[in-house]
Amino acid sequence: MAKLTVVHAACPHDCPDTCSIAVTVDGDRAVKVEGNAAHANTAGFLCAKVSKYIDRVYDPNRVQYPMRRVGAKGEGKFERISWDDAIAEITARWKATIAEHGPQAILPYSYAGTMGLVQGQGMDRRFFHRMGASLLDRTICATAGSVGYKATIGLSIGPEANRFAEAKLILIWGSNTLTSNVHLWPFILQAKKAGARVVTIDPYRTRTAAASDEHLAPLPGTDAALALAMMHVIIGENLHDADYVEKYTLGFEQLRERVREWTPARAAEITGIEADTIIRLAREYAGTTPAVIRINYGLQRHAGGGMAVRTIACLPALTGAWRDAAGGILLSSSGTFPLNYPALERPDLIPPGTRTINMSRLGEALTNTDEFGQPAGFDPPVKAIYVYNSNPVAVAPDQGQVTRGLAREDLFTVVHEQFFTDTTDWADIVLPATTQLEHMDVVKPYGHLSLMFNEPAIAPLAEARSNSDVFRLLARAMGYDELYLYETDEQLIRAVLATDHPWLEGMTFERLRAEGHVRLNLPERFAPFAEGNFPTPSGKCEFYSATLERRGLDPLPTYIPPRESVQSNPKLAERFPLALISPPAHNFLNSSFVNQDKLRKVEKEPIVEIHPWDAAPRRIETGATVRVFNDRGEFSVRAVVSEKTRPGVAMAPGIWWAKFSPDGRNVNATTSQAVTDMGEGATFYDNLVEIAAI
Ligand SMILES: Nc1nc2c(c(=O)[nH]1)N[C@H]1C(S)=C(S)[C@@H](COP(=O)(O)OP(=O)(O)OC[C@H]3O[C@@H](n4cnc5c(=O)[nH]c(N)nc54)[C@H](O)[C@@H]3O)O[C@H]1N2
Ligand SMILES: Nc1nc2c(c(=O)[nH]1)N[C@H]1C(S)=C(S)[C@@H](COP(=O)(O)OP(=O)(O)OC[C@H]3O[C@@H](n4cnc5c(=O)[nH]c(N)nc54)[C@H](O)[C@@H]3O)O[C@H]1N2
Ligand code: SF4
Ligand SMILES: [Mo]
């Protein structure tokens, strides 16, 4: 037996926890992955999904070689070709497209298959910027919330996850912690042991809600109304921290005026949460120290998602919760990492005037047709798409329009993937991608404060190549000779670390590589806004935002109703009365892992949960196959009648691959390409449907 070695890896997935992984390697084969106990947040365990990462790496169904389509688009039939042929064919098509339509006819499409800085936002950006391709606005997940949070707080910065252990009241707001952020849970348990109360605010009774002391179930998309009424009570009863407000906030008098009209009774009608409960929650929140809010992205996938996050983010400044390291609000820790992104991505190479295409409206871009069936005016039209780190056929809204676009015979589609996904089925060329054990990277977390190093544990399997390697090959074949397109992964990492920001002091390539995880150079008890210093234009927590006002938005916190709900759109609700949300299934990560048998078997099959009150009049029983539909499309799944969801709300856990679903479609056949109030984000959970037994 060869000598066993242990290598530091970092989980690449789009999950706030960014675990530190110890990979045991036996000769040239990785044999085990374990959570690193030396990293406080990972605490020695991995989630159900990534603890089976070895299966993923050595899955015989991985894409192993470059492939060329032989069947019809959508069929997924391919023949093996060489890398040389694949690169020659791709670049010949691109050169012809550029000659005829210009480089903006080429669209890169990527999201978070890997969150690594090198493989996720490094050489790809440099390459497409050099080319002058269309820019992609990466809005599919978090832009509404981050823009909303920024309006109030300035940057995505909050208390350190570990400090939750000291809180006395924890509000888990629009987050399913036990599923989507499980490494926060041990700290919450510690807090509970020490007497903290945990309240989860979620329309669906998730495993997190069930494990909390209290579960409040608002109607989807109504959270801002709840927060406004809480502020009504807090200010009305003089429970706010007048000293903190005076010193460190902007616009208190206008906020006081604004929330005057937001009586708990009014919010109760909108949210479906009783007025007395709202009053009690507001008093408890203002009266408990430290009180912390874990807000996450679930609640911002609605028309008013940006404003909802902005509004909730006002709460801790109003009560002075920020004074304590264990108080405040945490959306994401990503703003705490002042890395040298321009050196990594080279935005200076973007030709002036280059257009930006919103990834949440991919169907519209590919079909050049808007939601009313009118020409969408993309000039030049998108003639070629290069997909990597993403599975848009499964994850993008309005699946029907996305596949209609990908079916175009004149569209040239390249997909760089680890597996034969719903998206590779539509590719002209498929390229084999490495997994995290096969390439080098640095991963920036968004749920803790350590930067993570990923050492390649093994050589690429079969003919797989990393994203950065493929862009170097493409650059050479395109005839681009600029040196920045040929830098190594190590050089890219050194570029992004090159900054003299004090929080990154001591964060060298050598140290990261040796230690695997390095915490930012921040005080042990990081209390970012204990004394104000908000990174907003005014330096204060902005209850009043002149920035929003300049953009034509309400400068004060307000409630923007969902685009599709019984209250806001009664006419549509006559035909489609149920609000459908589709948050992540426990054993999948977006659409990743759906193809891994052991994990898919636990999830069994795609389902939709519906409340007994909604099921009875439709004659739907658990186990029945139902059709879920609206004007955009439909999908068929098994029904589960359950009181975990509230009346009027259906829940279809995601994101199943369409090809593992009974009718070859998934929930995104019904979701909409309409975007949020801020950040032009996707509105997956703002979706009215009807459900019928088949
Ligand atoms: N296991 C697992 N973990 C994941 C993921 C995964 O797919 N699987 N995905 C990762 C990614 S990309 C992300 S962005 C995060 C997402 O994780 P979260 O930010 O936690 O977001 P979601 O899971 O979309 O939604 C969280 C909860 O919000 C609820 N919700 C929906 N609408 C509303 C609303 O209007 N108001 C309120 N208060 N709650 C609402 C949903 O029912 C859900 O339980 O998780 C990451 N972690
Ligand atoms: N209905 C509904 N739709 C949703 C959501 C929802 O809650 N409901 N959530 C939304 C959210 S929050 C998000 S973030 C998006 C997620 O959308 P995506 O970022 O597209 O996430 P995944 O579905 O995990 O697909 C990532 C793909 O990248 C591949 N990959 C992994 N590593 C590499 C690599 O190194 N190189 C290459 N070339 N490929 C790699 C994986 O095999 C996988 O197929 O989905 C969104 N869609
Ligand atoms: S998906 Fe999240 S919880 Fe699972 S190993 Fe990766 S970072 Fe950790
Ligand atoms: Mo996401």
Side-chain angles (χ1 to χ4, degrees):
M1 202 171 95
K3 198 166 152 293
L4 294 183
T5 48
V6 177
V7 166
H8 285 305
C11 179
H13 289 290
D14 189 352
C15 166
D17 298 353
T18 309
C19 289
S20 173
I21 304 178
V23 186
T24 307
V25 184
D26 181 355
D28 57 3
R29 197 177 165 89
V31 291
K32 191 163 66 174
V33 291
E34 289 170 296
N36 182 356
H39 179 238
N41 298 79
T42 307
F45 75 96
L46 302 174
C47 65
K49 309 171 292 293
V50 174
S51 50
K52 299 183 187 60
Y53 204 75
I54 296 289
D55 291 351
R56 185 172 175 90
V57 173
Y58 292 104
D59 190 325
N61 295 318
R62 269 183 66 180
V63 180
Q64 311 210 11
Y65 315 104
M67 307 289 249
R68 178 196 288 128
R69 176 168 67 89
V70 291
K73 293 205 178 205
E75 237 182 335
K77 288 212 180 105
F78 302 100
E79 64 181 2
R80 180 176 170 182
I81 55 173
S82 69
W83 266 106
D84 285 348
D85 286 351
I87 294 291
E89 196 165 322
I90 295 167
T91 51
R93 279 293 289 259
W94 283 357
K95 284 177 192 167
T97 299
I98 292 170
E100 196 177 342
H101 302 279
Q104 296 194 66
I106 298 172
L107 177 67
Y109 194 96
S110 74
Y111 201 64
T114 165
M115 298 274 291
L117 295 169
V118 172
Q119 305 302 343
Q121 58 186 89
M123 200 52 91
D124 55 327
R125 302 295 203 271
R126 293 183 180 191
F127 174 81
F128 284 116
H129 292 167
R130 158 68 181 83
M131 174 186 271
S134 284
L135 298 167
L136 185 73
D137 201 0
R138 291 177 171 81
T139 58
I140 205 155
C141 172
T143 45
S146 35
V147 174
Y149 194 87
K150 190 172 175 196
T152 303
I153 308 282
L155 271 178
S156 286
I157 295 179
E160 188 166 8
N162 315 33
R163 292 288 157 226
F164 276 58
E166 298 166 20
K168 290 294 171 212
L169 176 67
I170 300 173
L171 301 190
I172 300 179
W173 205 325
S175 173
N176 183 4
T177 309
L178 273 169
T179 287
S180 59
N181 179 199
V182 63
H183 289 82
L184 185 63
W185 195 253
F187 302 118
I188 294 177
L189 279 183
Q190 275 182 45
K192 268 174 84 112
K193 259 202 195 129
R197 240 170 61 82
V198 178
V199 180
T200 290
I201 304 171
D202 193 313
Y204 178 80
R205 192 166 180 79
T206 58
R207 55 180 83 206
T208 307
S212 302
D213 298 296
E214 187 172 3
H215 171 209
L216 305 180
L219 283 162
T222 65
D223 301 270
L226 174 59
L228 288 161
M230 286 174 71
M231 293 196 268
H232 173 100
V233 175
I234 292 168
I235 299 176
E237 297 186 1
N238 235 349
L239 301 175
H240 59 284
D241 180 336
D243 178 60
Y244 192 93
V245 164
E246 159 78 31
K247 285 190 186 134
Y248 307 129
T249 73
L250 184 74
F252 176 70
E253 283 312 319
Q254 291 109 313
L255 179 70
R256 180 203 292 272
E257 269 314 301
R258 170 55 56 88
V259 301
R260 211 185 287 280
E261 67 203 42
W262 279 98
T263 61
R266 178 176 173 198
E269 259 176 49
I270 292 172
T271 60
I273 297 174
E274 286 180 13
D276 286 350
T277 307
I278 300 175
I279 295 168
R280 178 171 52 76
L281 181 69
R283 288 179 183 156
E284 184 181 3
Y285 177 70
T288 311
T289 310
V292 71
I293 300 174
R294 172 58 169 147
I295 188 174
N296 216 339
Y297 294 108
L299 70 84
Q300 49 98 67
R301 309 194 199 287
H302 300 275
M307 191 56 91
V309 170
R310 148 154 180 71
T311 301
I312 296 165
C314 291
L315 281 163
L318 194 60
T319 60
W322 285 117
R323 289 184 190 275
D324 200 296
I329 180 167
L330 175 64
L331 173 68
S332 154
S333 62
S334 60
T336 326
F337 292 82
L339 292 157
N340 196 343
Y341 304 105
L344 177 68
E345 301 182 13
R346 300 295 307 270
D348 55 299
L349 304 170
I350 300 169
T354 302
R355 73 173 169 194
T356 300
I357 292 182
N358 185 342
M359 73 183 304
S360 300
R361 306 181 73 115
L362 178 64
E364 183 182 274
L366 292 181
T367 57
N368 212 343
T369 308
D370 72 12
E371 62 179 310
F372 308 107
Q374 298 301 312
F378 286 89
D379 181 20
V382 176
K383 300 294 281 184
I385 180 168
Y386 183 89
V387 181
Y388 58 108
N389 287 346
S390 187
N391 183 9
V393 171
V395 307
D398 203 345
Q399 190 169 57
Q401 205 182 9
V402 171
T403 51
R404 278 195 296 284
L406 290 171
R408 271 173 46 203
E409 285 302 330
D410 67 324
L411 179 76
F412 179 62
T413 302
V414 181
V415 182
H416 186 201
E417 249 299 347
Q418 296 168 343
F419 291 98
F420 291 99
T421 63
D422 288 340
T423 305
T424 57
D425 283 352
W426 298 87
D428 294 293
I429 302 274
V430 180
L431 301 174
T434 42
T435 66
Q436 189 75 342
L437 301 198
E438 300 155 68
H439 54 231
M440 181 186 283
D441 219 328
V442 159
V443 190
K444 180 190 77 165
Y446 60 99
H448 61 73
L449 300 181
S450 308
L451 203 57
M452 314 297 283
F453 194 84
N454 184 72
E455 185 78 33
I458 54 172
L461 296 181
E463 290 189 9
R465 286 181 189 267
S466 70
N467 293 347
S468 56
D469 272 346
V470 177
F471 286 110
R472 292 181 197 105
L473 289 177
L474 290 167
R476 192 162 313 266
M478 287 301 290
Y480 303 157
D481 51 16
E482 292 84 353
L483 290 179
Y484 56 75
L485 294 172
Y486 300 97
E487 286 185 0
T488 61
D489 294 349
E490 178 177 330
Q491 284 173 306
L492 290 170
I493 295 170
R494 289 183 186 278
V496 80
L497 294 177
T499 151
D500 48 18
H501 195 288
W503 292 0
L504 284 162
E505 206 187 302
M507 189 76 80
T508 61
F509 178 86
E510 287 72 19
R511 182 167 169 218
L512 264 174
R513 188 173 204 174
E515 297 177 19
H517 53 94
V518 178
R519 187 176 175 273
L520 291 167
N521 186 30
L522 290 166
E524 201 206 320
R525 296 188 63 77
F526 179 52
F529 311 122
E531 290 166 19
N533 296 318
F534 289 91
T536 54
S538 64
K540 304 205 165 178
C541 176
E542 297 198 346
F543 298 148
Y544 186 96
S545 165
T547 312
L548 291 185
E549 189 172 36
R550 272 196 301 277
R551 280 190 228 141
L553 294 163
D554 195 325
L556 286 167
T558 187
Y559 166 59
I560 297 176
R563 190 162 177 259
E564 301 187 4
S565 76
V566 173
Q567 284 175 30
S568 64
N569 200 339
K571 209 162 154 44
L572 187 68
E574 276 173 25
R575 292 192 296 136
F576 306 117
L578 299 170
L580 177 66
I581 56 173
S582 47
H586 190 70
N587 292 283
F588 301 152
L589 199 131
N590 301 320
S591 80
S592 294
F593 301 106
V594 177
N595 57 316
Q596 278 180 244
D597 294 348
K598 280 186 200 154
L599 293 164
R600 192 178 62 259
K601 279 187 185 134
V602 188
E603 293 294 335
K604 294 194 182 81
E605 61 183 338
I607 56 160
V608 64
E609 286 192 38
I610 173 170
H611 192 271
W613 295 359
D614 295 319
R618 293 174 176 81
R619 302 186 182 283
I620 292 172
E621 286 173 6
T622 295
T625 303
V626 292
R627 203 163 71 86
V628 184
F629 60 98
N630 59 22
D631 284 336
R632 288 178 287 267
E634 65 172 78
F635 64 103
S636 298
V637 284
R638 194 86 68 189
V640 173
V641 180
S642 150
E643 290 186 355
K644 285 189 195 161
T645 189
R646 40 167 307 150
V649 179
M651 198 286 292
I655 307 173
W656 280 86
W657 287 17
K659 60 180 160 196
F660 282 113
S661 306
D663 65 347
R665 288 184 283 251
N666 71 9
V667 60
N668 281 322
T670 60
T671 54
S672 141
Q673 294 177 74
V675 295
T676 51
D677 55 340
M678 299 178 199
E680 299 197 39
T683 54
F684 292 108
Y685 305 165
D686 194 331
N687 182 23
L688 281 178
V689 297
E690 178 54 296
I691 303 182
I694 299 184

